């Protein structure tokens, strides 16, 4: 028997938000760490699962960041960012980059490329971006970045997020 839930939005803000969160949680997403650098050289990073390709020509990708995020002013000011796509062995790293009031980069190796933003080595993929367009959409800010450099290593199992939890997906080698 199906446990499908149908809800007409508008019944109440808290009720609607929970229903939306639960419904969106049915869509499996990848897990990333978005990084940038401040004018004084301080590294900034956050775990995000709102990441997608936008265009191949020009090469564009987007991330969405909650307007309440402490990283927002630094992303706005930097004009550049990197998206580091995590693999299944990176659960601890994903959790580290959601911690509040701590140095999220403690013990984390980084490298820099063209724009100077921190790049996390050994990821499934890294996308170094220059900010192309920014706009607010509801309770999030959308950053569209022009990809200027990338690296990828598909020989890992991806770290995914589904129904409020990190998950592993087995990928058969061909």
């Amino acid at each position: 028997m199906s446990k499908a839930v149908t809800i007409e939005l508008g019944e109440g803000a808290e009720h609607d938000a929970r229903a939306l969160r639960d419904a969106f949680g049915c869509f499996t997403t990848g897990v990333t760490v978005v990084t940038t650098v401040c004018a004084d050289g301080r590294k900034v990073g956050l775990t995000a699962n709102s990441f997608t390709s936008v265009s191949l020509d020009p090469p564009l990708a987007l991330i969405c960041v909650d307007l309440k995020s402490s990283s927002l002013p630094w992303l706005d000011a930097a004009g550049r960012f990197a998206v580091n796509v995590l693999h299944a062995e990176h659960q601890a790293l994903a959790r580290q980059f959601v911690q509040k009031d701590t140095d999220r980069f403690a013990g984390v190796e980084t490298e820099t490329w063209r724009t100077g933003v921190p790049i996390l080595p050994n990821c499934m993929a890294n996308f170094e971006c220059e900010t192309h367009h920014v706009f607010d959409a509801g309770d999030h800010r959308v950053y569209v970045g022009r990809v200027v450099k990338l690296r990828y290593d598909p020989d890992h199992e991806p770290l995914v997020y589904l129904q409020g939890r990190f998950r592993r997906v087995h990928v058969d080698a061909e």
Side-chain angles (χ1 to χ4, degrees):
M1 181 173 281
S2 175
K3 294 182 181 181
V5 175
T6 303
I7 293 178
E8 179 117 9
L9 297 182
E11 296 178 17
E14 188 175 317
H15 183 262
D16 288 353
R18 180 77 258 162
L20 275 168
R21 182 178 292 275
D22 291 347
F24 284 142
C26 292
F27 183 70
T28 304
T29 64
V31 181
T32 73
V33 169
V34 174
T35 56
T36 194
V37 64
C38 300
D40 64 7
R42 190 167 42 91
K43 300 173 189 174
V44 176
L46 66 142
T47 298
N49 67 340
S50 293
F51 163 67
T52 192
S53 62
V54 174
S55 169
L56 297 177
D57 186 18
L60 301 175
L62 73 74
I63 57 170
C64 299
V65 180
D66 191 307
L67 290 173
K68 294 178 277 193
S69 171
S70 61
S71 302
L72 205 67
W74 309 118
L75 279 165
D76 285 343
R80 60 196 193 269
F81 60 90
V83 180
N84 303 276
V85 179
L86 305 185
H87 60 70
E89 303 304 317
H90 284 146
Q91 282 190 40
L93 187 63
R95 286 189 176 90
Q96 182 168 335
F97 277 86
V98 295
Q99 299 298 313
K100 299 208 183 300
D101 303 320
T102 184
D103 177 6
R104 294 177 178 175
F105 285 88
V108 175
E109 178 186 341
T110 64
E111 57 191 70
T112 55
W113 294 348
R114 177 174 155 185
T115 68
V117 300
I119 304 293
L120 305 181
N122 305 313
C123 289
M124 282 195 74
N126 308 88
F127 299 88
E128 185 177 36
C129 301
E130 294 174 343
T131 303
H132 177 73
H133 187 61
V134 179
F135 59 95
D136 288 353
D139 58 4
H140 278 65
R141 183 156 299 152
V142 179
Y143 294 87
V144 178
R146 183 180 185 99
V147 180
V148 296
K149 187 171 181 177
L150 63 87
R151 172 174 59 205
Y152 64 98
D153 180 1
D155 292 334
H156 295 280
E157 289 182 41
L159 178 60
V160 299
Y161 198 71
L162 175 67
Q163 296 175 332
R165 297 194 336 243
F166 293 121
R167 309 283 182 134
R168 296 174 71 116
V169 175
H170 177 72
V171 178
D172 290 329
E174 292 187 28

